[in-house]
Amino acid sequence: MIPGVEIDADRIAAAVQAQPHVAGLHSGRFGEIATLLRGRRIAGIRVRDDEITIGVTGRYPATAVEISDDVRAAVGPIGLPVHVRIGDIASAPAKEKP
C-alpha cells in the first residue's frame, strides 16, 4: 500500500460501478468477496492488508480484459495487487425503438 493512502471501500465500489463494462458488484458464489464495516457490509469489495479483490458482473459484449481494465482503472494506483473476479455477465440492454 502507498504510505499515507487510506483505502476507501465505498469510493472503490462507487467508482467500479460507474464503469461502462461493469453491470454491478458481485460478492462471489458464497458471498466471500465483501468488506465488513461497522453496521454494514460492502458486497463485491474485499480489502486486505496485502491485496484487494473486486467481484463484478460484466456487461455483454465486453471481454474479460476490458472489464478487468475498467475495474483497475477505477481503483487507481494504490500500491496493492488488485484481483478482479468476474462472477457473471449481464445481457446487453435492449435497444429502444425510435
Side-chain angles (χ1 to χ4, degrees):
M1 182 164 50
I2 297 174
V5 174
E6 184 176 330
I7 297 174
D8 182 350
D10 284 317
R11 184 204 64 80
I12 292 172
V16 167
Q17 291 179 92
Q19 296 302 305
H21 295 122
V22 174
L25 295 173
H26 194 288
S27 61
R29 184 172 181 187
F30 300 107
E32 70 274 14
I33 303 172
T35 297
L36 301 176
L37 299 173
R38 182 180 292 203
R40 62 193 181 100
R41 178 177 186 267
I42 301 174
I45 308 288
R46 181 174 61 209
V47 178
R48 293 191 174 160
D49 291 338
D50 58 344
E51 67 182 8
I52 295 177
T53 302
I54 301 174
V56 296
T57 298
R59 192 178 306 279
Y60 181 84
T63 66
V65 171
E66 291 170 329
I67 295 166
S68 296
D69 287 348
D70 270 5
V71 170
R72 287 188 177 96
V75 173
I78 56 170
L80 292 175
V82 176
H83 305 287
V84 180
R85 284 193 178 166
I86 302 170
D88 202 358
I89 298 291
S91 60
K95 294 187 179 187
E96 295 182 23
K97 294 181 180 181

